[in-house]
PDB file of all heavy atoms in Angstrom:
ATOM      1  N   ALA A  42       8.594  48.170  27.864  1.00 39.00           N
ATOM      2  CA  ALA A  42       9.023  48.317  29.273  1.00 39.00           C
ATOM      3  C   ALA A  42       9.013  49.747  29.697  1.00 39.00           C
ATOM      4  O   ALA A  42       8.576  50.088  30.800  1.00 39.00           O
ATOM      5  CB  ALA A  42      10.436  47.789  29.410  1.00 39.00           C
ATOM      6  N   ALA A  43       9.436  50.669  28.820  1.00 40.00           N
ATOM      7  CA  ALA A  43       9.666  52.050  29.241  1.00 40.00           C
ATOM      8  C   ALA A  43       8.491  52.990  28.960  1.00 40.00           C
ATOM      9  O   ALA A  43       8.290  53.928  29.676  1.00 40.00           O
ATOM     10  CB  ALA A  43      10.931  52.620  28.579  1.00 40.00           C
ATOM     11  N   TYR A  44       7.664  52.664  27.964  1.00 40.00           N
ATOM     12  CA  TYR A  44       6.653  53.620  27.565  1.00 40.00           C
ATOM     13  C   TYR A  44       5.258  52.995  27.655  1.00 40.00           C
ATOM     14  O   TYR A  44       4.679  52.620  26.627  1.00 40.00           O
ATOM     15  CB  TYR A  44       6.891  54.111  26.139  1.00 40.00           C
ATOM     16  CG  TYR A  44       8.344  54.599  25.974  1.00 40.00           C
ATOM     17  CD1 TYR A  44       9.116  54.157  24.933  1.00 40.00           C
ATOM     18  CD2 TYR A  44       8.889  55.484  26.909  1.00 40.00           C
ATOM     19  CE1 TYR A  44      10.428  54.583  24.815  1.00 40.00           C
ATOM     20  CE2 TYR A  44      10.181  55.892  26.791  1.00 40.00           C
ATOM     21  CZ  TYR A  44      10.969  55.449  25.718  1.00 40.00           C
ATOM     22  OH  TYR A  44      12.258  55.882  25.613  1.00 40.00           O
ATOM     23  N   SER A  45       4.746  52.847  28.862  1.00 41.00           N
ATOM     24  CA  SER A  45       3.498  52.145  29.048  1.00 41.00           C
ATOM     25  C   SER A  45       2.325  52.885  28.492  1.00 41.00           C
ATOM     26  O   SER A  45       1.204  52.338  28.494  1.00 41.00           O
ATOM     27  CB  SER A  45       3.320  51.869  30.536  1.00 41.00           C
ATOM     28  OG  SER A  45       3.308  53.079  31.283  1.00 41.00           O
ATOM     29  N   GLU A  46       2.475  54.133  28.029  1.00 45.00           N
ATOM     30  CA  GLU A  46       1.322  54.835  27.484  1.00 45.00           C
ATOM     31  C   GLU A  46       0.768  54.137  26.247  1.00 45.00           C
ATOM     32  O   GLU A  46      -0.371  54.313  25.853  1.00 45.00           O
ATOM     33  CB  GLU A  46       1.657  56.285  27.154  1.00 45.00           C
ATOM     34  CG  GLU A  46       2.672  56.503  26.053  1.00 45.00           C
ATOM     35  CD  GLU A  46       4.013  56.815  26.602  1.00 45.00           C
ATOM     36  OE1 GLU A  46       4.365  56.301  27.678  1.00 45.00           O
ATOM     37  OE2 GLU A  46       4.747  57.571  25.988  1.00 45.00           O
ATOM     38  N   SER A  47       1.644  53.324  25.578  1.00 41.00           N
ATOM     39  CA  SER A  47       1.185  52.640  24.401  1.00 41.00           C
ATOM     40  C   SER A  47       0.192  51.545  24.723  1.00 41.00           C
ATOM     41  O   SER A  47      -0.492  50.995  23.850  1.00 41.00           O
ATOM     42  CB  SER A  47       2.422  51.993  23.682  1.00 41.00           C
ATOM     43  OG  SER A  47       3.001  51.057  24.533  1.00 41.00           O
ATOM     44  N   ASN A  48       0.080  51.178  26.027  1.00 41.00           N
ATOM     45  CA  ASN A  48      -0.797  50.113  26.442  1.00 41.00           C
ATOM     46  C   ASN A  48      -2.076  50.646  27.168  1.00 41.00           C
ATOM     47  O   ASN A  48      -2.835  49.905  27.756  1.00 41.00           O
ATOM     48  CB  ASN A  48      -0.099  49.139  27.378  1.00 41.00           C
ATOM     49  CG  ASN A  48       1.058  48.464  26.631  1.00 41.00           C
ATOM     50  OD1 ASN A  48       0.893  48.073  25.490  1.00 41.00           O
ATOM     51  ND2 ASN A  48       2.169  48.309  27.315  1.00 41.00           N
ATOM     52  N   LEU A  49      -2.265  51.983  27.117  1.00 41.00           N
ATOM     53  CA  LEU A  49      -3.381  52.559  27.815  1.00 41.00           C
ATOM     54  C   LEU A  49      -4.695  52.064  27.197  1.00 41.00           C
ATOM     55  O   LEU A  49      -4.859  51.964  25.979  1.00 41.00           O
ATOM     56  CB  LEU A  49      -3.362  54.072  27.777  1.00 41.00           C
ATOM     57  CG  LEU A  49      -2.255  54.757  28.584  1.00 41.00           C
ATOM     58  CD1 LEU A  49      -2.172  56.219  28.245  1.00 41.00           C
ATOM     59  CD2 LEU A  49      -2.577  54.588  30.051  1.00 41.00           C
ATOM     60  N   SER A  50      -5.670  51.816  28.071  1.00 37.00           N
ATOM     61  CA  SER A  50      -6.953  51.286  27.582  1.00 37.00           C
ATOM     62  C   SER A  50      -7.697  52.429  26.783  1.00 37.00           C
ATOM     63  O   SER A  50      -7.620  53.589  27.126  1.00 37.00           O
ATOM     64  CB  SER A  50      -7.823  50.861  28.731  1.00 37.00           C
ATOM     65  OG  SER A  50      -8.049  51.907  29.691  1.00 37.00           O
ATOM     66  N   GLY A  51      -8.446  52.019  25.790  1.00 39.00           N
ATOM     67  CA  GLY A  51      -9.204  52.970  25.016  1.00 39.00           C
ATOM     68  C   GLY A  51      -8.365  53.996  24.300  1.00 39.00           C
ATOM     69  O   GLY A  51      -8.736  55.144  24.162  1.00 39.00           O
ATOM     70  N   GLN A  52      -7.201  53.621  23.812  1.00 45.00           N
ATOM     71  CA  GLN A  52      -6.280  54.576  23.190  1.00 45.00           C
ATOM     72  C   GLN A  52      -6.916  55.202  21.991  1.00 45.00           C
ATOM     73  O   GLN A  52      -7.517  54.563  21.170  1.00 45.00           O
ATOM     74  CB  GLN A  52      -4.993  53.774  22.759  1.00 45.00           C
ATOM     75  CG  GLN A  52      -4.024  54.685  22.031  1.00 45.00           C
ATOM     76  CD  GLN A  52      -2.727  53.953  21.775  1.00 45.00           C
ATOM     77  OE1 GLN A  52      -2.254  53.178  22.606  1.00 45.00           O
ATOM     78  NE2 GLN A  52      -2.167  54.136  20.613  1.00 45.00           N
ATOM     79  N   ASP A  53      -6.818  56.544  21.900  1.00 49.00           N
ATOM     80  CA  ASP A  53      -7.377  57.298  20.807  1.00 49.00           C
ATOM     81  C   ASP A  53      -6.261  57.594  19.825  1.00 49.00           C
ATOM     82  O   ASP A  53      -5.234  58.202  20.173  1.00 49.00           O
ATOM     83  CB  ASP A  53      -7.958  58.594  21.342  1.00 49.00           C
ATOM     84  CG  ASP A  53      -8.636  59.447  20.283  1.00 49.00           C
ATOM     85  OD1 ASP A  53      -8.598  59.044  19.107  1.00 49.00           O
ATOM     86  OD2 ASP A  53      -9.158  60.539  20.629  1.00 49.00           O
ATOM     87  N   ASN A  54      -6.416  57.187  18.587  1.00 57.00           N
ATOM     88  CA  ASN A  54      -5.387  57.375  17.584  1.00 57.00           C
ATOM     89  C   ASN A  54      -5.438  58.762  16.903  1.00 57.00           C
ATOM     90  O   ASN A  54      -4.631  59.056  16.047  1.00 57.00           O
ATOM     91  CB  ASN A  54      -5.473  56.328  16.512  1.00 57.00           C
ATOM     92  CG  ASN A  54      -5.119  54.925  17.046  1.00 57.00           C
ATOM     93  OD1 ASN A  54      -4.253  54.818  17.901  1.00 57.00           O
ATOM     94  ND2 ASN A  54      -5.835  53.899  16.629  1.00 57.00           N
ATOM     95  N   GLY A  55      -6.426  59.599  17.358  1.00 80.00           N
ATOM     96  CA  GLY A  55      -6.493  60.941  16.801  1.00 80.00           C
ATOM     97  C   GLY A  55      -5.433  61.860  17.333  1.00 80.00           C
ATOM     98  O   GLY A  55      -4.634  61.489  18.194  1.00 80.00           O
ATOM     99  N   PHE A  56      -5.464  63.140  16.887  1.00 89.00           N
ATOM    100  CA  PHE A  56      -4.487  64.120  17.328  1.00 89.00           C
ATOM    101  C   PHE A  56      -4.741  64.491  18.757  1.00 89.00           C
ATOM    102  O   PHE A  56      -5.846  64.846  19.131  1.00 89.00           O
ATOM    103  CB  PHE A  56      -4.557  65.382  16.416  1.00 89.00           C
ATOM    104  CG  PHE A  56      -3.547  66.381  16.753  1.00 89.00           C
ATOM    105  CD1 PHE A  56      -2.304  66.361  16.150  1.00 89.00           C
ATOM    106  CD2 PHE A  56      -3.812  67.424  17.672  1.00 89.00           C
ATOM    107  CE1 PHE A  56      -1.329  67.313  16.446  1.00 89.00           C
ATOM    108  CE2 PHE A  56      -2.870  68.369  17.960  1.00 89.00           C
ATOM    109  CZ  PHE A  56      -1.607  68.330  17.337  1.00 89.00           C
ATOM    110  N   GLN A  57      -3.700  64.385  19.587  1.00 93.00           N
ATOM    111  CA  GLN A  57      -3.827  64.727  21.002  1.00 93.00           C
ATOM    112  C   GLN A  57      -2.730  65.722  21.398  1.00 93.00           C
ATOM    113  O   GLN A  57      -1.556  65.482  21.125  1.00 93.00           O
ATOM    114  CB  GLN A  57      -3.704  63.489  21.902  1.00 93.00           C
ATOM    115  CG  GLN A  57      -4.858  62.521  21.754  1.00 93.00           C
ATOM    116  CD  GLN A  57      -5.176  61.766  23.020  1.00 93.00           C
ATOM    117  OE1 GLN A  57      -4.381  61.755  23.981  1.00 93.00           O
ATOM    118  NE2 GLN A  57      -6.375  61.173  23.091  1.00 93.00           N
ATOM    119  N   PHE A  58      -3.188  66.851  21.948  1.00 94.00           N
ATOM    120  CA  PHE A  58      -2.319  68.003  22.281  1.00 94.00           C
ATOM    121  C   PHE A  58      -2.304  68.154  23.813  1.00 94.00           C
ATOM    122  O   PHE A  58      -3.289  68.350  24.447  1.00 94.00           O
ATOM    123  CB  PHE A  58      -2.852  69.216  21.579  1.00 94.00           C
ATOM    124  CG  PHE A  58      -2.218  70.521  22.038  1.00 94.00           C
ATOM    125  CD1 PHE A  58      -0.882  70.594  22.415  1.00 94.00           C
ATOM    126  CD2 PHE A  58      -2.970  71.668  22.080  1.00 94.00           C
ATOM    127  CE1 PHE A  58      -0.308  71.788  22.832  1.00 94.00           C
ATOM    128  CE2 PHE A  58      -2.429  72.889  22.457  1.00 94.00           C
ATOM    129  CZ  PHE A  58      -1.102  72.965  22.843  1.00 94.00           C
ATOM    130  N   LEU A  59      -1.093  68.009  24.395  1.00 96.00           N
ATOM    131  CA  LEU A  59      -0.911  68.111  25.867  1.00 96.00           C
ATOM    132  C   LEU A  59      -0.017  69.296  26.152  1.00 96.00           C
ATOM    133  O   LEU A  59       1.057  69.436  25.532  1.00 96.00           O
ATOM    134  CB  LEU A  59      -0.295  66.794  26.367  1.00 96.00           C
ATOM    135  CG  LEU A  59      -0.189  66.649  27.891  1.00 96.00           C
ATOM    136  CD1 LEU A  59      -1.538  66.617  28.517  1.00 96.00           C
ATOM    137  CD2 LEU A  59       0.571  65.404  28.217  1.00 96.00           C
ATOM    138  N   HIS A  60      -0.473  70.100  27.083  1.00 97.00           N
ATOM    139  CA  HIS A  60       0.315  71.308  27.481  1.00 97.00           C
ATOM    140  C   HIS A  60       0.693  71.189  28.907  1.00 97.00           C
ATOM    141  O   HIS A  60      -0.127  71.168  29.804  1.00 97.00           O
ATOM    142  CB  HIS A  60      -0.540  72.554  27.280  1.00 97.00           C
ATOM    143  CG  HIS A  60       0.249  73.814  27.243  1.00 97.00           C
ATOM    144  ND1 HIS A  60      -0.261  75.030  26.775  1.00 97.00           N
ATOM    145  CD2 HIS A  60       1.519  74.107  27.634  1.00 97.00           C
ATOM    146  CE1 HIS A  60       0.680  75.954  26.856  1.00 97.00           C
ATOM    147  NE2 HIS A  60       1.767  75.407  27.390  1.00 97.00           N
ATOM    148  N   LEU A  61       2.020  71.083  29.159  1.00 98.00           N
ATOM    149  CA  LEU A  61       2.562  70.879  30.493  1.00 98.00           C
ATOM    150  C   LEU A  61       3.225  72.123  31.015  1.00 98.00           C
ATOM    151  O   LEU A  61       3.739  72.965  30.244  1.00 98.00           O
ATOM    152  CB  LEU A  61       3.623  69.739  30.471  1.00 98.00           C
ATOM    153  CG  LEU A  61       3.208  68.388  29.937  1.00 98.00           C
ATOM    154  CD1 LEU A  61       4.356  67.422  30.020  1.00 98.00           C
ATOM    155  CD2 LEU A  61       2.008  67.838  30.686  1.00 98.00           C
ATOM    156  N   GLY A  62       3.284  72.291  32.334  1.00 97.00           N
ATOM    157  CA  GLY A  62       3.982  73.369  32.956  1.00 97.00           C
ATOM    158  C   GLY A  62       5.117  72.836  33.815  1.00 97.00           C
ATOM    159  O   GLY A  62       4.931  71.867  34.546  1.00 97.00           O
ATOM    160  N   GLU A  63       6.297  73.448  33.693  1.00 97.00           N
ATOM    161  CA  GLU A  63       7.494  73.069  34.465  1.00 97.00           C
ATOM    162  C   GLU A  63       7.846  74.220  35.379  1.00 97.00           C
ATOM    163  O   GLU A  63       7.971  75.381  34.953  1.00 97.00           O
ATOM    164  CB  GLU A  63       8.637  72.730  33.534  1.00 97.00           C
ATOM    165  CG  GLU A  63       8.505  71.352  32.878  1.00 97.00           C
ATOM    166  CD  GLU A  63       8.869  70.193  33.768  1.00 97.00           C
ATOM    167  OE1 GLU A  63       9.071  70.438  34.990  1.00 97.00           O
ATOM    168  OE2 GLU A  63       8.955  69.089  33.301  1.00 97.00           O
ATOM    169  N   ALA A  64       8.088  73.944  36.660  1.00 94.00           N
ATOM    170  CA  ALA A  64       8.375  74.981  37.607  1.00 94.00           C
ATOM    171  C   ALA A  64       9.762  75.633  37.448  1.00 94.00           C
ATOM    172  O   ALA A  64       9.930  76.837  37.605  1.00 94.00           O
ATOM    173  CB  ALA A  64       8.277  74.400  39.054  1.00 94.00           C
TER     174      ALA A  64
END
Side-chain angles (χ1 to χ4, degrees):
Y44 310 129
S45 58
E46 66 259 35
S47 63
N48 297 319
L49 289 170
S50 59
Q52 178 173 321
D53 183 359
N54 292 323
F56 184 89
Q57 294 212 343
F58 168 34
L59 186 64
H60 197 164
L61 306 179
E63 286 281 6

